[in-house]
Amino acid sequence: MRVFRPTARLAALLVASSLLVGCASSGSSDSEEEQDEFAGVAERELYEEARGSLERRNFTAAITRLEALDTRFPFGSHAEQVQLELIYAHYELGDWEATRAAASRFIRLHPSHPQADYALYMRGLASWQAGRFSLERLKLIDISRRDLGASRDAYTDFSELVRLYPNSQYAPDAQQRIVYLRNLMSRHELHVADYYLRRGAYLAAVERGRWVIENYPESEATRDALAVMVEGYLGLEMRDRAREVLEVLIENDPRHNQLRGRTFEPRHVNAQSLSA
C-alpha cells in the first residue's frame, strides 16, 4: 500500500495555517477580554461608578455599568436597585421602548416589591411620551387623529396603577393623565365615527358612538357621541330610535352645536331635521 507523505511545501502550509488559526483564536479571546472593561471590578465599585454617572446625568455610561452589574451580579446586593435605576436611565435617555422593557421585567420579577408602583408608573410614562408629538404643545396638530396604540398602553398602565396602588405617591399624577388620555381617545373614536357617517356606514358610526359612551362615560366627548348616534340612526331611517337618543342629548347638553332648541340638525346625513 502506498503511504501518503506530504511534501515539504504542503507540510509548511499546514503548519502555517494551524498557527494562523491559533493566533486568530487567541487574538479573538484577547479582544473580547479587552472589550470587557469591567472584568475583575467588584460589585460595589461598579455600582458606585454607575451611581456617579447617574448623578452627572451621563446616562449612556450609567446604562453600560448598570447592565454590566445586571449581567455579572444578577443576585448581588444591589440587583433590585440596579434594575430600578435602569428604568430611570433609559427614560432619561429618551428610549421609551427600553424603558417599558426594563419596567416590565422588574414587575415580572418583583411583583410584590415596595417600588413595583414606581416601575408601573414609569412604564406608563414611557408610553405617554411615545404617543406624543413635540408639536402638540404648539397646537399645530391634533394627536387624536393619529394611531393611539402607545397612548392606550399608557392609559392601561395608569389605570392599573390607580387600581392596584390607590395610595401610591404616583397615583394622583396618574389619575390626571387618565383624564387627559380618556378625552384624547374618546375624541379619536369620534373622528372615526364622523368618517363612517361621511362614508354612509351608519351602523358602524352608531356603534362607535355607543362604545365611547360605554367605555369613557366621564369624558367630554359623550355629548358628541350621542349626536353621532342620533345622526347614525337617521341615516338608518330609524327615526324613533334617533328621537330616543336625541332626548338624552337634550337633557345632557341642551346647547349642543347641532341643536336648534329641541331640533337636531344632521351634518353628514341627507335627512330631515329631527325634533324631540
Side-chain angles (χ1 to χ4, degrees):
M1 179 182 296
R2 187 176 179 182
V3 178
F4 175 74
R5 298 181 183 278
T7 63
R9 178 177 294 180
L10 180 57
L13 180 61
L14 292 172
V15 170
S17 297
S18 64
L19 289 174
L20 285 172
V21 170
C23 290
S25 175
S26 174
S28 174
S29 177
D30 291 344
S31 174
E32 288 175 3
E33 189 161 340
E34 288 173 4
Q35 289 176 2
D36 187 358
E37 59 180 304
F38 307 117
V41 179
E43 179 189 5
R44 183 176 182 81
E45 180 182 352
L46 189 53
Y47 181 70
E48 289 176 352
E49 288 184 15
R51 288 293 307 169
S53 296
L54 286 173
E55 290 170 3
R56 293 189 297 274
R57 299 188 65 79
N58 185 348
F59 297 112
T60 300
I63 289 170
T64 300
R65 285 155 178 78
L66 290 168
E67 287 180 340
L69 277 163
D70 194 37
T71 300
R72 298 171 65 85
F73 307 101
F75 305 107
S77 56
H78 302 290
E80 294 176 1
Q81 189 61 31
V82 163
Q83 293 170 20
L84 287 168
E85 288 171 358
L86 268 172
I87 298 171
Y88 170 74
H90 282 307
Y91 181 85
E92 289 295 324
L93 202 59
D95 191 337
W96 316 130
E97 184 176 349
T99 303
R100 283 189 57 82
S104 295
R105 177 172 178 252
F106 184 88
I107 294 168
R108 185 179 69 254
L109 295 177
H110 314 287
S112 302
H113 194 278
Q115 290 186 270
D117 60 334
Y118 168 79
L120 185 54
Y121 176 69
M122 292 298 290
R123 191 171 74 179
L125 275 185
S127 293
W128 168 279
Q129 294 291 358
R132 297 168 69 89
F133 280 164
S134 60
L135 290 179
E136 181 200 357
R137 298 178 182 176
L138 303 179
K139 306 297 183 183
L140 297 181
I141 62 170
D142 181 357
I143 63 172
S144 67
R145 294 180 182 272
R146 300 175 52 231
D147 176 71
L148 300 181
S151 295
R152 289 192 182 94
D153 289 339
Y155 183 83
T156 299
D157 287 336
F158 290 139
S159 298
E160 187 175 356
L161 172 64
V162 171
R163 180 178 62 84
L164 295 177
Y165 309 102
N167 298 320
S168 168
Q169 62 178 310
Y170 309 107
D173 182 73
Q175 186 61 60
Q176 291 183 7
R177 294 176 190 272
I178 287 171
V179 172
Y180 171 85
L181 289 167
R182 181 191 296 134
N183 291 330
L184 173 72
M185 291 187 291
S186 58
R187 291 207 315 272
H188 179 269
E189 294 298 327
L190 290 181
H191 285 308
V192 177
D194 280 349
Y195 170 79
Y196 285 148
L197 288 174
R198 291 194 301 270
R199 299 282 294 182
Y202 303 126
L203 180 58
V206 168
E207 291 301 322
R208 285 281 176 162
R210 179 182 291 112
W211 195 90
V212 169
I213 294 168
E214 291 176 351
N215 289 274
Y216 306 115
E218 299 176 6
S219 74
E220 300 170 351
T222 53
R223 280 77 168 174
D224 289 332
L226 289 168
V228 163
M229 292 182 67
V230 173
E231 193 156 352
Y233 280 130
L234 287 176
L236 293 168
E237 298 183 356
M238 300 173 65
R239 295 182 70 85
D240 289 342
R241 294 295 300 275
R243 187 170 287 106
E244 291 175 5
V245 180
L246 175 58
E247 290 176 353
V248 179
L249 174 61
I250 293 172
E251 181 180 349
N252 286 273
D253 189 7
R255 296 187 178 182
H256 190 275
N257 58 20
Q258 285 185 259
L259 291 176
R260 302 294 179 267
R262 296 180 60 83
T263 299
F264 181 86
E265 301 290 343
R267 289 185 303 179
H268 305 298
V269 175
N270 185 18
Q272 294 181 347
S273 301
L274 179 69
S275 297

mmCIF file of all heavy atoms in Angstrom, residues 224-258:
data_model
loop_
_atom_site.group_PDB
_atom_site.id
_atom_site.type_symbol
_atom_site.label_atom_id
_atom_site.label_comp_id
_atom_site.label_asym_id
_atom_site.label_seq_id
_atom_site.Cartn_x
_atom_site.Cartn_y
_atom_site.Cartn_z
ATOM 1 N N ASP A 224 -70.994 64.543 22.163
ATOM 2 C CA ASP A 224 -70.823 64.386 20.723
ATOM 3 C C ASP A 224 -71.095 62.950 20.300
ATOM 4 O O ASP A 224 -71.551 62.700 19.178
ATOM 5 C CB ASP A 224 -69.407 64.795 20.308
ATOM 6 C CG ASP A 224 -69.195 66.297 20.392
ATOM 7 O OD1 ASP A 224 -70.170 67.043 20.241
ATOM 8 O OD2 ASP A 224 -68.048 66.718 20.614
ATOM 9 N N ALA A 225 -70.801 62.000 21.179
ATOM 10 C CA ALA A 225 -71.093 60.599 20.872
ATOM 11 C C ALA A 225 -72.603 60.391 20.734
ATOM 12 O O ALA A 225 -73.067 59.631 19.863
ATOM 13 C CB ALA A 225 -70.521 59.692 21.951
ATOM 14 N N LEU A 226 -73.386 61.051 21.594
ATOM 15 C CA LEU A 226 -74.848 60.974 21.468
ATOM 16 C C LEU A 226 -75.306 61.564 20.141
ATOM 17 O O LEU A 226 -76.193 61.010 19.463
ATOM 18 C CB LEU A 226 -75.505 61.716 22.632
ATOM 19 C CG LEU A 226 -75.406 61.052 24.004
ATOM 20 C CD1 LEU A 226 -75.836 62.028 25.098
ATOM 21 C CD2 LEU A 226 -76.266 59.787 24.049
ATOM 22 N N ALA A 227 -74.694 62.679 19.743
ATOM 23 C CA ALA A 227 -75.050 63.298 18.463
ATOM 24 C C ALA A 227 -74.727 62.372 17.301
ATOM 25 O O ALA A 227 -75.491 62.279 16.328
ATOM 26 C CB ALA A 227 -74.322 64.639 18.311
ATOM 27 N N VAL A 228 -73.598 61.692 17.381
ATOM 28 C CA VAL A 228 -73.232 60.718 16.339
ATOM 29 C C VAL A 228 -74.288 59.629 16.247
ATOM 30 O O VAL A 228 -74.703 59.230 15.152
ATOM 31 C CB VAL A 228 -71.842 60.108 16.649
ATOM 32 C CG1 VAL A 228 -71.630 58.829 15.836
ATOM 33 C CG2 VAL A 228 -70.740 61.105 16.336
ATOM 34 N N MET A 229 -74.762 59.162 17.394
ATOM 35 C CA MET A 229 -75.769 58.104 17.384
ATOM 36 C C MET A 229 -77.089 58.591 16.784
ATOM 37 O O MET A 229 -77.728 57.874 16.002
ATOM 38 C CB MET A 229 -75.993 57.591 18.813
ATOM 39 C CG MET A 229 -74.807 56.842 19.393
ATOM 40 S SD MET A 229 -75.143 56.215 21.068
ATOM 41 C CE MET A 229 -76.401 54.978 20.724
ATOM 42 N N VAL A 230 -77.486 59.819 17.120
ATOM 43 C CA VAL A 230 -78.711 60.379 16.533
ATOM 44 C C VAL A 230 -78.579 60.418 15.022
ATOM 45 O O VAL A 230 -79.479 59.960 14.281
ATOM 46 C CB VAL A 230 -78.981 61.796 17.081
ATOM 47 C CG1 VAL A 230 -80.163 62.421 16.337
ATOM 48 C CG2 VAL A 230 -79.260 61.760 18.582
ATOM 49 N N GLU A 231 -77.466 60.926 14.542
ATOM 50 C CA GLU A 231 -77.277 61.070 13.094
ATOM 51 C C GLU A 231 -77.173 59.706 12.415
ATOM 52 O O GLU A 231 -77.676 59.508 11.305
ATOM 53 C CB GLU A 231 -76.034 61.916 12.807
ATOM 54 C CG GLU A 231 -75.944 62.363 11.373
ATOM 55 C CD GLU A 231 -75.101 63.617 11.199
ATOM 56 O OE1 GLU A 231 -74.699 64.241 12.201
ATOM 57 O OE2 GLU A 231 -74.859 63.979 10.034
ATOM 58 N N GLY A 232 -76.511 58.757 13.074
ATOM 59 C CA GLY A 232 -76.415 57.421 12.509
ATOM 60 C C GLY A 232 -77.773 56.756 12.380
ATOM 61 O O GLY A 232 -78.081 56.125 11.359
ATOM 62 N N TYR A 233 -78.605 56.907 13.411
ATOM 63 C CA TYR A 233 -79.953 56.339 13.339
ATOM 64 C C TYR A 233 -80.775 57.018 12.251
ATOM 65 O O TYR A 233 -81.599 56.364 11.578
ATOM 66 C CB TYR A 233 -80.654 56.461 14.688
ATOM 67 C CG TYR A 233 -80.241 55.398 15.689
ATOM 68 C CD1 TYR A 233 -79.849 55.735 16.983
ATOM 69 C CD2 TYR A 233 -80.268 54.047 15.339
ATOM 70 C CE1 TYR A 233 -79.480 54.765 17.899
ATOM 71 C CE2 TYR A 233 -79.895 53.068 16.255
ATOM 72 C CZ TYR A 233 -79.506 53.427 17.530
ATOM 73 O OH TYR A 233 -79.143 52.452 18.433
ATOM 74 N N LEU A 234 -80.565 58.313 12.059
ATOM 75 C CA LEU A 234 -81.263 58.991 10.959
ATOM 76 C C LEU A 234 -80.835 58.400 9.616
ATOM 77 O O LEU A 234 -81.667 58.206 8.719
ATOM 78 C CB LEU A 234 -80.965 60.489 10.991
ATOM 79 C CG LEU A 234 -81.641 61.289 12.107
ATOM 80 C CD1 LEU A 234 -81.169 62.739 12.074
ATOM 81 C CD2 LEU A 234 -83.162 61.224 11.979
ATOM 82 N N GLY A 235 -79.547 58.129 9.485
ATOM 83 C CA GLY A 235 -79.063 57.519 8.250
ATOM 84 C C GLY A 235 -79.650 56.138 8.026
ATOM 85 O O GLY A 235 -79.876 55.717 6.879
ATOM 86 N N LEU A 236 -79.914 55.423 9.108
ATOM 87 C CA LEU A 236 -80.525 54.095 9.016
ATOM 88 C C LEU A 236 -82.047 54.163 8.903
ATOM 89 O O LEU A 236 -82.717 53.131 8.849
ATOM 90 C CB LEU A 236 -80.156 53.274 10.269
ATOM 91 C CG LEU A 236 -78.679 52.893 10.415
ATOM 92 C CD1 LEU A 236 -78.412 52.345 11.813
ATOM 93 C CD2 LEU A 236 -78.281 51.868 9.353
ATOM 94 N N GLU A 237 -82.569 55.401 8.891
ATOM 95 C CA GLU A 237 -84.017 55.646 8.804
ATOM 96 C C GLU A 237 -84.740 55.042 10.012
ATOM 97 O O GLU A 237 -85.876 54.545 9.892
ATOM 98 C CB GLU A 237 -84.590 55.104 7.490
ATOM 99 C CG GLU A 237 -83.981 55.783 6.261
ATOM 100 C CD GLU A 237 -84.586 55.303 4.959
ATOM 101 O OE1 GLU A 237 -85.430 54.374 4.997
ATOM 102 O OE2 GLU A 237 -84.214 55.848 3.898
ATOM 103 N N MET A 238 -84.091 55.107 11.143
ATOM 104 C CA MET A 238 -84.689 54.630 12.404
ATOM 105 C C MET A 238 -84.970 55.862 13.258
ATOM 106 O O MET A 238 -84.308 56.133 14.261
ATOM 107 C CB MET A 238 -83.740 53.649 13.106
ATOM 108 C CG MET A 238 -83.417 52.418 12.271
ATOM 109 S SD MET A 238 -82.138 51.349 13.020
ATOM 110 C CE MET A 238 -82.976 50.790 14.505
ATOM 111 N N ARG A 239 -85.951 56.653 12.859
ATOM 112 C CA ARG A 239 -86.194 57.948 13.471
ATOM 113 C C ARG A 239 -86.695 57.821 14.918
ATOM 114 O O ARG A 239 -86.411 58.693 15.740
ATOM 115 C CB ARG A 239 -87.177 58.765 12.627
ATOM 116 C CG ARG A 239 -86.623 59.121 11.239
ATOM 117 C CD ARG A 239 -87.599 59.969 10.437
ATOM 118 N NE ARG A 239 -87.744 61.316 10.968
ATOM 119 C CZ ARG A 239 -86.936 62.331 10.678
ATOM 120 N NH1 ARG A 239 -85.884 62.152 9.872
ATOM 121 N NH2 ARG A 239 -87.162 63.535 11.182
ATOM 122 N N ASP A 240 -87.406 56.768 15.243
ATOM 123 C CA ASP A 240 -87.854 56.597 16.626
ATOM 124 C C ASP A 240 -86.665 56.391 17.558
ATOM 125 O O ASP A 240 -86.617 56.971 18.657
ATOM 126 C CB ASP A 240 -88.826 55.415 16.725
ATOM 127 C CG ASP A 240 -90.173 55.712 16.074
ATOM 128 O OD1 ASP A 240 -90.461 56.917 15.874
ATOM 129 O OD2 ASP A 240 -90.922 54.762 15.776
ATOM 130 N N ARG A 241 -85.716 55.526 17.126
ATOM 131 C CA ARG A 241 -84.524 55.319 17.947
ATOM 132 C C ARG A 241 -83.692 56.599 18.015
ATOM 133 O O ARG A 241 -83.150 56.950 19.073
ATOM 134 C CB ARG A 241 -83.665 54.187 17.354
ATOM 135 C CG ARG A 241 -84.315 52.823 17.406
ATOM 136 C CD ARG A 241 -84.521 52.353 18.848
ATOM 137 N NE ARG A 241 -83.273 52.254 19.584
ATOM 138 C CZ ARG A 241 -82.478 51.183 19.563
ATOM 139 N NH1 ARG A 241 -82.827 50.123 18.835
ATOM 140 N NH2 ARG A 241 -81.378 51.159 20.269
ATOM 141 N N ALA A 242 -83.635 57.320 16.899
ATOM 142 C CA ALA A 242 -82.895 58.579 16.883
ATOM 143 C C ALA A 242 -83.506 59.568 17.866
ATOM 144 O O ALA A 242 -82.792 60.288 18.582
ATOM 145 C CB ALA A 242 -82.886 59.165 15.467
ATOM 146 N N ARG A 243 -84.821 59.600 17.922
ATOM 147 C CA ARG A 243 -85.507 60.541 18.826
ATOM 148 C C ARG A 243 -85.247 60.168 20.289
ATOM 149 O O ARG A 243 -85.089 61.050 21.137
ATOM 150 C CB ARG A 243 -87.003 60.550 18.521
ATOM 151 C CG ARG A 243 -87.777 61.626 19.291
ATOM 152 C CD ARG A 243 -89.203 61.761 18.792
ATOM 153 N NE ARG A 243 -89.267 62.406 17.481
ATOM 154 C CZ ARG A 243 -89.526 61.762 16.339
ATOM 155 N NH1 ARG A 243 -89.749 60.460 16.330
ATOM 156 N NH2 ARG A 243 -89.569 62.417 15.190
ATOM 157 N N GLU A 244 -85.173 58.887 20.600
ATOM 158 C CA GLU A 244 -84.872 58.463 21.972
ATOM 159 C C GLU A 244 -83.501 58.975 22.413
ATOM 160 O O GLU A 244 -83.341 59.490 23.530
ATOM 161 C CB GLU A 244 -84.899 56.930 22.064
ATOM 162 C CG GLU A 244 -86.286 56.316 21.903
ATOM 163 C CD GLU A 244 -86.225 54.802 21.891
ATOM 164 O OE1 GLU A 244 -85.107 54.251 22.107
ATOM 165 O OE2 GLU A 244 -87.267 54.158 21.662
ATOM 166 N N VAL A 245 -82.524 58.834 21.527
ATOM 167 C CA VAL A 245 -81.171 59.301 21.856
ATOM 168 C C VAL A 245 -81.143 60.822 21.897
ATOM 169 O O VAL A 245 -80.448 61.420 22.727
ATOM 170 C CB VAL A 245 -80.150 58.754 20.836
ATOM 171 C CG1 VAL A 245 -78.732 59.238 21.182
ATOM 172 C CG2 VAL A 245 -80.181 57.233 20.794
ATOM 173 N N LEU A 246 -81.908 61.453 21.007
ATOM 174 C CA LEU A 246 -81.956 62.918 20.988
ATOM 175 C C LEU A 246 -82.447 63.465 22.326
ATOM 176 O O LEU A 246 -81.918 64.468 22.822
ATOM 177 C CB LEU A 246 -82.870 63.386 19.858
ATOM 178 C CG LEU A 246 -83.135 64.890 19.777
ATOM 179 C CD1 LEU A 246 -81.825 65.672 19.637
ATOM 180 C CD2 LEU A 246 -84.084 65.199 18.613
ATOM 181 N N GLU A 247 -83.424 62.837 22.913
ATOM 182 C CA GLU A 247 -83.927 63.300 24.214
ATOM 183 C C GLU A 247 -82.842 63.235 25.285
ATOM 184 O O GLU A 247 -82.733 64.126 26.133
ATOM 185 C CB GLU A 247 -85.142 62.466 24.621
ATOM 186 C CG GLU A 247 -86.377 62.737 23.759
ATOM 187 C CD GLU A 247 -87.546 61.832 24.097
ATOM 188 O OE1 GLU A 247 -87.332 60.906 24.928
ATOM 189 O OE2 GLU A 247 -88.643 62.034 23.550
ATOM 190 N N VAL A 248 -81.994 62.200 25.228
ATOM 191 C CA VAL A 248 -80.872 62.086 26.176
ATOM 192 C C VAL A 248 -79.861 63.198 25.907
ATOM 193 O O VAL A 248 -79.323 63.806 26.852
ATOM 194 C CB VAL A 248 -80.202 60.704 26.062
ATOM 195 C CG1 VAL A 248 -79.013 60.606 27.029
ATOM 196 C CG2 VAL A 248 -81.205 59.596 26.326
ATOM 197 N N LEU A 249 -79.619 63.509 24.634
ATOM 198 C CA LEU A 249 -78.693 64.575 24.284
ATOM 199 C C LEU A 249 -79.196 65.926 24.792
ATOM 200 O O LEU A 249 -78.428 66.703 25.385
ATOM 201 C CB LEU A 249 -78.496 64.627 22.759
ATOM 202 C CG LEU A 249 -77.653 65.791 22.222
ATOM 203 C CD1 LEU A 249 -76.238 65.748 22.779
ATOM 204 C CD2 LEU A 249 -77.631 65.766 20.690
ATOM 205 N N ILE A 250 -80.460 66.207 24.585
ATOM 206 C CA ILE A 250 -81.029 67.484 25.038
ATOM 207 C C ILE A 250 -80.943 67.602 26.557
ATOM 208 O O ILE A 250 -80.632 68.663 27.101
ATOM 209 C CB ILE A 250 -82.493 67.609 24.566
ATOM 210 C CG1 ILE A 250 -82.534 67.730 23.039
ATOM 211 C CG2 ILE A 250 -83.178 68.811 25.216
ATOM 212 C CD1 ILE A 250 -83.933 67.660 22.454
ATOM 213 N N GLU A 251 -81.201 66.496 27.236
ATOM 214 C CA GLU A 251 -81.144 66.504 28.698
ATOM 215 C C GLU A 251 -79.742 66.790 29.213
ATOM 216 O O GLU A 251 -79.560 67.493 30.212
ATOM 217 C CB GLU A 251 -81.629 65.151 29.238
ATOM 218 C CG GLU A 251 -81.637 65.059 30.749
ATOM 219 C CD GLU A 251 -82.113 63.707 31.229
ATOM 220 O OE1 GLU A 251 -82.629 62.918 30.400
ATOM 221 O OE2 GLU A 251 -81.954 63.414 32.424
ATOM 222 N N ASN A 252 -78.726 66.262 28.527
ATOM 223 C CA ASN A 252 -77.350 66.389 29.000
ATOM 224 C C ASN A 252 -76.611 67.590 28.414
ATOM 225 O O ASN A 252 -75.685 68.105 29.052
ATOM 226 C CB ASN A 252 -76.563 65.110 28.663
ATOM 227 C CG ASN A 252 -76.930 63.952 29.560
ATOM 228 O OD1 ASN A 252 -76.367 63.782 30.628
ATOM 229 N ND2 ASN A 252 -77.906 63.149 29.127
ATOM 230 N N ASP A 253 -77.015 68.029 27.227
ATOM 231 C CA ASP A 253 -76.303 69.144 26.587
ATOM 232 C C ASP A 253 -77.281 69.947 25.727
ATOM 233 O O ASP A 253 -77.246 69.878 24.496
ATOM 234 C CB ASP A 253 -75.154 68.604 25.727
ATOM 235 C CG ASP A 253 -74.245 69.712 25.226
ATOM 236 O OD1 ASP A 253 -74.419 70.882 25.633
ATOM 237 O OD2 ASP A 253 -73.339 69.412 24.415
ATOM 238 N N PRO A 254 -78.154 70.719 26.348
ATOM 239 C CA PRO A 254 -79.185 71.446 25.590
ATOM 240 C C PRO A 254 -78.623 72.489 24.633
ATOM 241 O O PRO A 254 -79.342 72.945 23.744
ATOM 242 C CB PRO A 254 -80.032 72.094 26.685
ATOM 243 C CG PRO A 254 -79.150 72.145 27.874
ATOM 244 C CD PRO A 254 -78.268 70.950 27.798
ATOM 245 N N ARG A 255 -77.357 72.854 24.798
ATOM 246 C CA ARG A 255 -76.745 73.851 23.918
ATOM 247 C C ARG A 255 -75.772 73.221 22.918
ATOM 248 O O ARG A 255 -74.901 73.892 22.384
ATOM 249 C CB ARG A 255 -76.022 74.908 24.752
ATOM 250 C CG ARG A 255 -76.957 75.713 25.646
ATOM 251 C CD ARG A 255 -76.227 76.848 26.314
ATOM 252 N NE ARG A 255 -77.129 77.653 27.141
ATOM 253 C CZ ARG A 255 -76.775 78.740 27.809
ATOM 254 N NH1 ARG A 255 -75.498 79.140 27.769
ATOM 255 N NH2 ARG A 255 -77.655 79.412 28.521
ATOM 256 N N HIS A 256 -75.924 71.962 22.669
ATOM 257 C CA HIS A 256 -75.042 71.296 21.709
ATOM 258 C C HIS A 256 -75.130 71.991 20.355
ATOM 259 O O HIS A 256 -76.202 72.476 19.959
ATOM 260 C CB HIS A 256 -75.423 69.820 21.575
ATOM 261 C CG HIS A 256 -74.435 69.012 20.795
ATOM 262 N ND1 HIS A 256 -74.455 68.926 19.424
ATOM 263 C CD2 HIS A 256 -73.373 68.268 21.208
ATOM 264 C CE1 HIS A 256 -73.474 68.139 19.014
ATOM 265 N NE2 HIS A 256 -72.799 67.729 20.084
ATOM 266 N N ASN A 257 -73.997 72.049 19.646
ATOM 267 C CA ASN A 257 -73.955 72.838 18.410
ATOM 268 C C ASN A 257 -74.795 72.266 17.268
ATOM 269 O O ASN A 257 -74.955 72.918 16.227
ATOM 270 C CB ASN A 257 -72.501 73.035 17.940
ATOM 271 C CG ASN A 257 -71.768 71.723 17.713
ATOM 272 O OD1 ASN A 257 -72.383 70.678 17.533
ATOM 273 N ND2 ASN A 257 -70.447 71.770 17.711
ATOM 274 N N GLN A 258 -75.349 71.064 17.422
ATOM 275 C CA GLN A 258 -76.240 70.541 16.382
ATOM 276 C C GLN A 258 -77.710 70.675 16.778
ATOM 277 O O GLN A 258 -78.590 70.173 16.074
ATOM 278 C CB GLN A 258 -75.908 69.065 16.084
ATOM 279 C CG GLN A 258 -74.624 68.901 15.267
ATOM 280 C CD GLN A 258 -74.364 67.457 14.877
ATOM 281 O OE1 GLN A 258 -73.549 66.782 15.498
ATOM 282 N NE2 GLN A 258 -75.054 66.983 13.854
#
